Amino acid sequence: MSTTDLFPGFTARRIRTTGADIHCLTGGGGPPLLLLHGYPQTHAMWHRVAPALAQEYTVVCPDLRGYGDSSKPPTDAAHAPYSKRAMAQDMVEVMRELGFARFRLAGHDRGGRVAHRLCVDHPDAVLRVAVLDISPTRTMYARTDKAFATAYYHWFFLIQPFDLPERLIGSDPAYYLRRKLGGWGSGLDCFDPRALAEYERCYRDPATIHATCEDYRAAASIDLEHDDADVAAGRRVGCPLLALWGEKGVVHRLFEPLADWGAVAHDVRGRALPSGHYLAEEVPEETLTELRAFFAA
């Protein structure tokens, strides 16, 4: 299935990196802007803002490795192939293949975590970064309590050893996907049926279920090691960072995004938007306004 009907004027292509084959859509013209999706979605989550951004930017919307129509590389005992470091390296190589050594960057959910790692590992590549509805991974794990573990139970379910979550999700992946998408203060009505069908198509693949579990296993292990090393070395995000989050969501209720990001980045600004978790699909106009103002500065 092609999602180009959701992205008028965009072109689909496949780019091989040193660790994966990345499916992406590109469109527009002007300075490059990379948009990274979250769990359990694909690049399709950007369909309500990417075409408008393409009026000003060359917009690149990939599927992260393990997601959508990108490849699902074999994992290892350390979950390194699904570390945010590996995912960020993919994105840097994708942008270089497209001719872009430096670019603007936005990431929602897991894509925001990849964006955070990309900014730290490749500081010369990112001009400005926006992170949507997250606080840093290390911070969120460190503050885990009953309220957070209840709301984000999947963080602790998906990291269980292979193949417990894979088997349980695999028994009815469409049910699990819909419960997950609808359970973060949004409901399912905010999703375009075409986008929802795309999420379901991709998530039915057992390889996707396994790869996305590996994403979370990495987040609870090797990613934290990388984050700890950053703190010990004093490495922080050097470019301007915009944090946006939904006022109906868990991040707004349990965390302090501006302070949390201020602990790991030098130049932070942002605010809550009137939505749940899925800002770009629930409140696309507000999200677009914030991104345009930030990236134009």
Side-chain angles (χ1 to χ4, degrees):
M1 175 182 173
S2 172
T3 58
T4 50
D5 60 328
L6 290 169
F7 294 79
F10 280 61
T11 301
R13 62 184 299 170
R14 196 167 185 84
I15 297 174
R16 173 160 292 184
T17 71
T18 53
D21 291 334
I22 301 299
H23 171 76
C24 64
L25 297 188
T26 59
L33 169 59
L34 176 63
L35 303 178
L36 303 180
H37 68 85
Y39 176 89
Q41 299 178 288
T42 72
H43 71 275
M45 63 148 287
W46 295 108
H47 72 97
R48 288 178 174 154
V49 299
L53 289 168
Q55 297 172 15
E56 302 145 47
Y57 299 97
T58 299
V59 178
V60 182
C61 298
D63 291 335
L64 296 170
R65 69 162 63 187
Y67 288 80
D69 289 318
S70 289
S71 64
K72 287 80 181 170
T75 192
D76 62 20
H79 316 294
Y82 290 91
S83 67
K84 305 309 148 308
R85 175 160 287 162
M87 291 182 170
Q89 183 65 35
D90 284 338
M91 296 303 114
V92 168
E93 293 183 29
V94 164
M95 295 304 278
R96 286 176 181 164
E97 176 65 22
L98 294 171
F100 306 126
R102 304 191 74 197
F103 47 88
R104 292 163 176 82
L105 172 62
H108 172 254
D109 189 80
R110 310 309 290 177
R113 304 188 190 286
V114 176
H116 179 194
R117 175 50 51 195
L118 198 160
C119 288
V120 177
D121 283 2
H122 306 273
D124 294 335
V126 184
L127 293 165
R128 287 178 164 253
V129 63
V131 291
L132 276 59
D133 210 55
I134 62 169
S135 280
T137 304
R138 184 174 182 269
T139 302
M140 294 178 76
Y141 268 125
R143 294 188 195 158
T144 295
D145 58 12
K146 179 183 176 183
F148 177 62
T150 301
Y152 270 31
Y153 74 89
H154 65 290
W155 274 40
F156 309 95
F157 170 55
L158 298 176
I159 67 176
Q160 296 306 308
F162 176 82
D163 61 349
L164 177 63
E166 285 91 341
R167 280 184 177 268
L168 296 179
I169 294 170
S171 69
D172 195 344
Y175 171 81
Y176 175 83
L177 177 82
R178 285 176 173 262
R179 284 296 299 265
K180 182 51 57 189
L181 288 172
W184 277 323
S186 307
L188 291 174
D189 290 344
C190 70
F191 298 107
D192 185 300
R194 298 169 295 174
L196 187 57
E198 177 68 0
Y199 305 147
E200 288 192 6
R201 177 187 71 84
C202 293
Y203 201 70
R204 287 179 188 276
D205 182 356
T208 299
I209 296 171
H210 174 53
T212 55
C213 289
E214 283 296 297
D215 173 8
Y216 279 83
R217 290 172 181 136
S221 55
I222 190 170
D223 289 347
L224 292 178
E225 294 173 11
H226 294 158
D227 290 344
D228 287 344
D230 290 340
V231 171
R235 287 188 293 268
R236 302 172 72 173
V237 175
C239 67
L241 183 147
L242 173 70
L244 300 173
W245 64 96
E247 63 185 17
K248 301 175 187 176
V250 174
V251 171
H252 181 75
R253 188 168 76 250
L254 300 181
F255 297 92
E256 299 178 27
L258 293 183
D260 296 343
W261 285 107
V264 299
H266 292 291
D267 181 359
V268 177
R269 77 290 312 270
R271 69 183 186 93
L273 298 183
S275 73
H277 181 59
Y278 300 98
L279 283 70
E281 289 170 286
E282 293 180 64
V283 288
E285 291 303 323
E286 292 91 336
T287 302
L288 185 59
T289 296
E290 294 292 331
L291 293 179
R292 273 182 161 152
F294 176 65
F295 287 133

